[in-house]
């Protein structure tokens, strides 16, 4: 007997009219007309059943702090960092935990069940680290939360950051972070990349650096990161986040850089909502888009992801833990509008970041964890177009969130009385 059976489902790879059976918190069977009783049956009605959404770049210690102690009026990265610096001494562990838990509730409702969050360690109290380790413990049954030790004010630039980062890792933080372009010189930035990668190699950890989040085409720390990955044998364990300087680099240099990233198996995470709002602030017109070269990376086989980065904090005043909104923004700004490219945008908020985070048992396949989202959409492209309603969010075979399908009552002469947006389109004609 199955604990749960989902019938008449469409899967992201295009399989249709399949049933999914769950036993022991794992996917036990995927086939058409699956027999056997089940404790609960959900009729997908031909709609998409996808693995949960994954955000591999977020700042949970700052989320929901918008307006504290003031708003970012310029919209620039550096003003956001300045405001965060003003807020840090005022933080309490209780407030950080409460805001983070509220965010995790919203994330779960949106089918976002795995998050990598960068935690600022440039605070002698390591208050954010302690708070988010507590949050990680409390949400472990419904969200896979991965913490990055992030020296927001610079590994070398901030006094004591070297010791603080090591202390954070000793406390149980999962990933080594950094911000080389924020060091005082390019040389210090390159040196920080080397030192941080050596720490990760020694401790057997993953690496995720805020790298070249600038319009300066001469900010090329991704080249150093790629070199250190190869030198230390960290292939497949290193991610470069943002990489926005690449949008301003000359094409010849990039033609050399991307094959090196592919060879070292260095992944990339763009944060489209934030990057296009923060970058290009010194431009008049033409104004740069502010996002790295995701389509070109994908042609080289580089693993890519879209991250949300921020929500209602000193850097971004909007957001709703909706990775389909992030995928849609990435699709538009990167001009990824072919059918295959739009599917890649869906992958950039599911399988891509899952690979970057090294999530085990991820994906709608037999033997994997029974973590799934039923979306009010016919396929992954429609899911992005509609910002599809999450009809059911499933963790370990248990439904942890339900939302009624979106439907509008119409009062129009000689027209239907009900409108389902997921049923409106060329396929409906």
């Amino acid at each position: 007997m199955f604990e749960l059976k989902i019938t008449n489902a469409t899967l992201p790879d295009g399989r249709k009219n399949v049933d999914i059976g769950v036993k022991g918190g794992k996917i036990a069977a995927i086939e058409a007309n699956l027999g056997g009783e089940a404790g609960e049956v959900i009729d997908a009605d031909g709609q998409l059943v996808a693995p949960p959404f994954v955000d591999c770049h977020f700042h949970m210690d700052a989320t929901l702090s918008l307006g504290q102690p003031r708003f970012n009026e310029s919209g620039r990265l550096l003003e956001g960092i300045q405001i965060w610096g003003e807020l840090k001494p005022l933080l309490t562990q209780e407030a950080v935990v409460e805001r983070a838990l509220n965010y995790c509730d919203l994330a779960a409702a949106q089918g976002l069940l795995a998050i990598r969050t960068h935690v600022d360690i440039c605070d002698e109290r390591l208050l954010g680290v302690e708070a988010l380790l507590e949050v990680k413990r409390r949400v472990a049954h419904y969200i896979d939360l991965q913490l990055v030790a992030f020296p927001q004010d610079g590994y070398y630039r901030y006094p004591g950051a070297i010791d603080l980062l090591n202390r954070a890792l000793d406390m149980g933080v999962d990933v080594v972070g950094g911000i080389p372009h924020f060091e005082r010189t390019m040389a210090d930035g390159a040196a920080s990349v080397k030192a941080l990668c050596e720490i990760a190699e020694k401790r057997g950890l993953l690496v995720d650096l805020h790298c070249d989040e600038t319009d300066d085409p001469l900010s090329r720390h991704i080249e150093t990161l790629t070199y250190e990955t190869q030198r230390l044998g960290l292939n497949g364990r290193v991610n470069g986040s943002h990489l926005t300087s690449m949008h301003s680099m000359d094409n010849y240099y990039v033609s050399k850089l991307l094959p090196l990233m592919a060879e070292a198996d260095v992944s990339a995470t763009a944060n489209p909502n934030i990057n296009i709002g923060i970058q290009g602030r010194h431009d008049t017109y033409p104004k740069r888009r502010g996002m790295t070269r995701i389509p070109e990376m994908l042609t080289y086989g580089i693993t890519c992801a879209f991250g949300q980065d921020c929500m209602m904090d000193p850097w971004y005043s909007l957001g709703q833990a909706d990775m389909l909104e992030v995928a849609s923004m990435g699709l538009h700004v990167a001009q990824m509008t072919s059918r295959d490219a739009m599917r890649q945008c869906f992958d950039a908020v599911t399988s891509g970041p899952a690979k970057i985070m090294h999530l085990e048992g991820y994906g709608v396949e037999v033997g994997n964890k029974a973590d799934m989202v039923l979306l009010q959409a016919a396929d992954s492209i429609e899911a992005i177009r509609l910002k599809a309603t999450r009809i059911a969010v499933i963790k370990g075979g248990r439904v942890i969130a339900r939302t009624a399908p979106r439907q509008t009552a119409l009062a129009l002469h000689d027209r239907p009385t009900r409108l389902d947006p997921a049923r409106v389109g060329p396929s409906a004609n």
Side-chain angles (χ1 to χ4, degrees):
M1 178 172 175
F2 297 111
E3 297 149 14
L4 171 69
K5 185 160 68 172
I6 303 173
T7 62
N8 194 23
T10 297
L11 302 185
D13 62 11
R15 283 177 284 175
K16 296 180 182 295
N17 302 314
V18 298
D19 300 342
I20 304 168
V22 174
K23 285 183 180 179
K26 293 189 176 182
I27 298 172
I30 300 177
E31 58 187 70
N33 303 312
L34 179 64
E37 298 295 317
E40 180 177 3
V41 177
I42 298 175
D43 181 6
D45 194 22
Q47 298 182 109
L48 182 65
V49 175
F53 296 108
V54 181
D55 182 0
C56 65
H57 191 105
F58 194 63
H59 292 266
M60 197 174 287
D61 49 355
T63 197
L64 301 177
S65 65
L66 182 66
Q68 302 177 36
R70 59 187 176 88
F71 291 94
N72 185 339
E73 297 296 342
S74 72
R76 291 179 175 175
L77 172 66
L78 295 184
E79 184 175 356
I81 293 174
Q82 184 178 5
I83 293 170
W84 175 242
E86 295 167 8
L87 176 58
K88 271 195 291 187
L90 309 177
L91 293 174
T92 66
Q93 184 168 327
E94 293 75 18
V96 174
V97 168
E98 182 63 21
R99 289 190 285 103
L101 289 174
N102 287 339
Y103 179 81
C104 288
D105 292 343
L106 179 60
Q110 297 279 37
L112 172 55
L113 302 185
I115 303 169
R116 173 182 283 183
T117 178
H118 294 253
V119 187
D120 188 358
I121 57 89
C122 292
D123 173 5
E124 285 72 12
R125 301 171 296 168
L126 289 178
L127 181 145
V129 173
E130 290 185 350
L132 290 192
L133 284 170
E134 171 64 11
V135 172
K136 179 178 179 177
R137 183 188 66 80
R138 292 173 65 173
V139 304
H141 60 291
Y142 64 100
I143 288 181
D144 293 313
L145 187 59
Q146 198 174 80
L147 308 186
V148 183
F150 177 48
Q152 172 75 78
D153 298 321
Y155 182 68
Y156 288 127
R157 184 171 180 172
Y158 182 81
I162 295 173
D163 176 63
L164 288 166
L165 184 135
N166 281 298
R167 282 172 52 197
L169 296 175
D170 289 341
M171 291 166 66
V173 173
D174 310 284
V175 183
V176 178
I179 185 168
H181 56 277
F182 195 65
E183 301 292 352
R184 294 192 182 277
T185 66
M186 290 288 189
D188 278 356
S192 75
V193 173
K194 179 177 184 291
L196 292 164
C197 286
E198 288 176 346
I199 290 171
E201 190 275 333
K202 182 177 180 180
R203 290 177 175 260
L205 299 177
L206 304 177
V207 177
D208 192 336
L209 303 189
H210 284 60
C211 200
D212 304 323
E213 189 183 2
T214 170
D215 296 325
D216 180 4
L218 298 180
S219 184
R220 297 178 173 183
H221 296 298
I222 180 58
E223 180 181 73
T224 305
L225 181 60
T226 300
Y227 170 78
E228 293 298 333
T229 299
Q230 285 280 54
R231 182 179 72 86
L232 296 167
L234 294 172
N235 305 56
R237 292 163 50 187
V238 175
N239 181 68
S241 287
H242 293 290
L243 305 179
T244 59
S245 70
M246 201 182 294
H247 71 180
S248 300
M249 293 173 181
D250 67 83
N251 291 331
Y252 177 80
Y253 176 72
V254 174
S255 73
K256 167 196 170 186
L257 176 61
L258 296 187
L260 293 176
M261 290 179 64
E263 181 183 340
D265 197 10
V266 171
S267 59
T269 301
N271 299 289
N273 299 54
I274 311 305
N275 293 154
I276 66 171
I278 284 179
Q279 307 309 132
R281 288 282 179 167
H282 294 277
D283 296 350
T284 52
Y285 291 94
K287 188 179 287 286
R288 283 167 284 189
R289 289 176 176 268
M291 198 171 88
T292 195
R293 304 189 189 203
I294 293 295
E296 292 81 1
M297 290 184 190
L298 289 169
T299 64
Y300 281 93
I302 295 169
T303 302
C304 293
F306 292 149
Q308 185 177 210
D309 198 3
C310 306
M311 188 186 108
M312 300 187 73
D313 67 10
W315 296 275
Y316 189 61
S317 59
L318 303 174
Q320 53 179 338
D322 186 351
M323 297 309 293
L324 288 174
E325 178 182 68
V326 174
S328 177
M329 187 68 77
L331 183 159
H332 285 90
V333 73
Q335 299 180 330
M336 296 176 68
T337 54
S338 72
R339 304 297 288 180
D340 285 343
M342 288 191 281
R343 295 185 187 98
Q344 288 176 322
C345 289
F346 189 85
D347 292 343
V349 295
T350 52
S351 58
K355 183 178 179 182
I356 290 171
M357 288 180 63
H358 289 220
L359 297 180
E360 296 182 359
Y362 177 88
V364 185
E365 295 292 346
V366 173
N368 283 348
K369 297 176 181 178
D371 300 345
M372 296 170 280
V373 184
L374 172 58
L375 296 161
Q376 189 182 359
D379 55 37
S380 58
I381 295 174
E382 285 295 277
I384 295 174
R385 182 179 74 87
L386 297 166
K387 317 297 188 299
T389 298
R390 285 70 163 168
I391 298 171
V393 179
I394 299 159
K395 177 68 176 177
R398 185 174 70 89
V399 179
I400 63 169
R402 298 179 190 268
T403 303
R406 178 184 168 194
Q407 192 173 80
T408 300
L410 293 178
L412 303 174
H413 176 66
D414 200 28
R415 297 303 299 154
T417 59
R418 297 281 178 183
L419 177 67
D420 177 351
R423 308 293 184 184
V424 177
S427 61
N429 296 331

